Amino acid sequence: VKRNLKQIISSDPISVFVTAFLLFGVCAFSGIFLSRALNEAAIFWPANAAIVWLGLYIGYRYLPALLSGVLLSNALMQIVFGDPAAVAVGLPLANAVGITTLLLTLRFFGLGLRSIGDTGKALLFFGVICIAPLPAALIGAETLQLAFSAPLATTALHWWAGDVVSSIIILLPLLSAPRIARVSTPSATRRRVAAFEILAGVVLSAAGFIVLNAFGLPYSAGIIIPLLWVALREGVFLTALAGSIFIIFASVLLAFDLMHAANAELPLEEAIFELQIMSLLSILPAYFIAASINARNVAYINLAAKEKLAVQKAAELEVTLANMNQGMSCFDKDHRLTVWNRQYAEMFEMDLEKVSTGMAFLDILETQKRNGNFEGDPRDLLSKILEKTGAGESHRSETKLASGRIIFSVHTANPNGGWIATHADVTEKRNIEQSIAHDAMHDALTGLPNRRYHEQELTERAAKCQEEGGGVALLHVDLDRFKNINDTLGHDAGDAMLVHAAQVLKSIVRQTDFVARVGGDEFVVICDIKNNTEFLSAVADRIIAKMQEPVPYKGQLCRFGVSIGIALQKGKKVDGKQLLINADIALYRAKSNGRGCYEHFTTELHTEVMTHKQLSDEILVGIERGEFIVHYQPQINARTNKIFGVEALVRWQHPKRGLLGPDKFIDIAEDIDQVAEIDRIVLSQTLRDMADWKKRGVKVPHASVNVSARRLSDPNLLENLKSLKIPRGTISFELRESIYLDDEDDSVMWSIDQIKELGIDIELDDFGTGHTSIVSLHSVKPNKLKIDRRLIIPIIDDPSQLQIIKSVIDIAKALGIETIAEGVETMEHTRVLMEAGCKMMQGFGYAGPMNAEDLEAYINSEKWKAA
Ligand code: C2E
Ligand code: MG
Ligand code: MG
């Protein structure tokens, strides 16, 4: 009901207006009615006070609505009682001003609905009540003087005093109500006792009045004792309420002549006023006593509540401390222990009995240090804690105990000085972290540091060299034929060999050297270098020797070797990454030198590798840009003196270095797997040129192209050749003797047969430099043998050489194979070769390789005939 009431009243201006209108109207009506009925005896003027309370109740927001209600109600009231127009305007104005000033002043001093309850506030309230009505009293008195020529000063005084008195009578109990004054509501028993006491008080006062009346003394004096009693027992509200009831009751009795005024000479109006003033003088001391008791009670209650809260909190804290997983310790500004829990003592393995309040932090640490449970300087830790906590940060530390356990502590500043610390046992966590960190940095199989660890270590050592001088050497150790072991004996054997290799490396290098496994079968040793570097070769030798020893595995002996690349840098020049690259280059060289050996990195090696690298890139670009072209070297039948064909030879039209022969690039092209591609280019260009010559009537009936081993085993070769639609008998493939034969590789033989079926002849190039057996010559059945120029050139001067050539020619004849001589440099060569039975010639003696255009001119000029 209360909440709804408040909602209704304060929800909108209209209802505030109506409420104010009615409240003021009722109060004013009864006030004016009473005073008129009783021959102008003013009892009090309580309407203003009631509206002030309403104003306090609903707040500022609706002040205009409130005042409008008052103004209208008041004006109507004056009209109802037949007052002149000046009064119907002036009095509402005066009352509105009175209400406003009082309301605003009360609010200004914070005397709201929950304020009066102690002496200070009560005094303030009386001060406000006394001063605030003054302007209204002046306006009201002025109005009454105008309307009724009432004496200004007296009227103003009465108005003012009337307002003060009625405000006290109405507002004091309202603003001191228990809900408002924050005094606990009395219990039912307490209320019964109170009712009895009030009754006793009333009886006592009644008796007192009779006595006072008999002696012609002010009656109000009679309520002092009972009211004091109420004040002591019941607090501010009942004191104010009892006082107000008494004043109203006594005023009514006096007004209706049911009781005689103490001062019988005064007119009734003055007598009632005197009664009210006297009553207030009796009530106020009692009220002040009640107010001060209440203030004390409130303070006491607050204190008790706080104490209770503190006890509760302490209990909660104790339970929390006892049950938390962490240890906790608290040190005051003098670094002495104030609070801690059992876990704290246990975690640090302290004697629980010996831990006590007031122990100095440093003493505790000293004891811990003696027991091996603290490393370092206690003072150091203290000053670090103070520094951090002083800066408003928390300090973290880790303590390793003698038992190996690790305690992690966080120290945070205590607002009261000193610090509060929590402690956690992080042993397991750290162990797991450590093992994770170890796993991340080590190879699971050999237990050696892995590539990541190795890189980190190398960077660190390099940095150290740059600062302190000295040098770093790197041995890049690679197992030879390791794949072989994996393939033939299985991966378990491979793993066993890697473990063995790791052990060998560890056993050979110095304690300070760092061994890591950086790849499948690759290891790296980092050595610090002081002055001498000779030992590096010795170490490499020892590693190679030891690794070559056979290793027993499951009843078998495994053998493998190692190649080692060594790189070394000193002082400021040390650069981990470069060192790795250098060692790698050296290793590459060691491997190409036939494995099982070591190689030192040198700048020459570096240049070689770099050129190789550059050339490789250029070859790839050159292929794309069509820089590879074909030159042709004529082949002549010395008997008929006719050109029967040409050999197509690749040339590289290098953009910077000009025309390059195969000796400048073919090996590198081989390394990067591009020879087959070059062969393809040469063949198709040759076919185009031949078609062209045919069109122009240039007689080149046959061309030989060189074919690399790779091209021969290219699975797409045959498809490719078929699509070229090569006219039968016009093209030969020159296969280098040194590569194929005797390998009895079925697939190569098969390819050769297929090529022959396409109408392409097979010639064996560079014959006499390899080691083809007559048996394999028989099975390959080439159409031609090209006798190598290194055999041809010396035949003039060396009869035994000529004898060899003759034998070759005879064997070829016996097998039905034609022979062609290359490197025919002079006519003497032609003569001797013709005698020996070889009629086909190719060589500078006739012409060197030339481009298609020059060849056409050469053929047309028939120069060879002159030769
Ligand atoms: P090859 O197949 O034995 O070619 C003959 C080489 O001997 C040519 O060198 C040619 O210029 C040279 N020559 C010719 N007549 C004489 C002479 O009277 N005296 C001397 N001293 N040399 C003579 P070129 O062009 O430098 O080719 C070298 C090698 O490169 C070739 O030897 C061949 O094995 C390879 N080659 C050339 N072109 C290709 C190709 O397109 N593909 C493949 N895979 N290899 C090629
Ligand atoms: Mg050739
Ligand atoms: Mg040759």
Side-chain angles (χ1 to χ4, degrees), residues 647 734 765-766 786 788-789 822:
E647 180 177 7
E734 292 189 10
D765 203 355
D766 305 343
K786 271 190 103 169
D788 193 72
R789 57 185 176 277
E822 66 174 28

Side-chain angles (χ1 to χ4, degrees), residues 461-660:
R461 292 201 186 199
K464 203 172 150 224
C465 282
Q466 285 177 350
E467 265 173 34
E468 301 168 11
V472 179
L474 211 87
L475 277 72
H476 195 165
V477 181
D478 190 287
L479 304 197
D480 299 331
R481 289 187 299 279
F482 178 69
K483 190 173 173 305
N484 215 347
I485 293 176
N486 261 342
D487 290 348
T488 55
L489 299 175
H491 285 270
D492 287 347
D495 286 354
M497 291 315 113
L498 288 171
V499 172
H500 168 78
Q503 281 162 356
V504 168
L505 285 175
K506 283 289 265 183
S507 71
I508 289 175
V509 302
R510 300 170 302 184
Q511 199 82 52
T512 50
D513 298 339
F514 181 89
V515 183
R517 181 183 172 207
V518 296
D521 60 349
E522 288 173 60
F523 298 85
V524 165
V525 182
I526 308 177
C527 307
D528 287 334
I529 302 280
K530 291 273 144 53
N531 291 316
N532 70 326
T533 56
E534 292 89 67
F535 80 98
L536 288 172
S537 302
V539 168
D541 270 334
R542 289 233 304 285
I543 293 174
I544 290 168
K546 188 85 186 156
M547 292 280 195
Q548 266 164 0
E549 289 172 13
V551 190
Y553 176 77
K554 289 197 178 159
Q556 291 196 343
L557 285 182
C558 296
R559 283 168 202 279
F560 58 92
V562 291
S563 305
I564 303 177
I566 305 171
L568 156 72
Q569 285 175 337
K570 282 185 177 171
K572 291 255 180 287
K573 285 193 198 132
V574 179
D575 172 359
K577 284 215 176 83
Q578 194 54 50
L579 207 54
L580 269 172
I581 295 170
N582 294 354
D584 223 40
I585 290 171
L587 175 66
Y588 180 79
R589 174 49 59 95
K591 288 216 167 223
S592 51
N593 279 357
R595 303 169 194 266
C597 59
Y598 66 84
E599 192 70 42
H600 282 275
F601 173 83
T602 57
T603 37
E604 294 80 51
L605 196 57
H606 187 241
T607 336
E608 226 172 88
V609 169
M610 289 317 284
T611 352
H612 185 284
K613 167 95 182 49
Q614 196 187 347
L615 219 58
S616 307
D617 294 345
E618 285 177 358
I619 287 173
L620 292 174
V621 175
I623 288 175
E624 259 176 41
R625 295 191 183 155
E627 288 168 8
F628 289 90
I629 56 169
V630 187
H631 278 195
Y632 301 95
Q633 188 175 25
Q635 296 172 327
I636 284 124
N637 185 329
R639 190 150 295 158
T640 60
N641 230 356
K642 278 190 178 151
I643 292 186
F644 68 89
V646 290
E647 180 177 7
L649 294 159
V650 71
R651 295 290 179 270
W652 182 7
Q653 190 64 59
H654 192 279
K656 286 194 198 119
R657 294 163 61 193
L659 197 66
L660 301 180

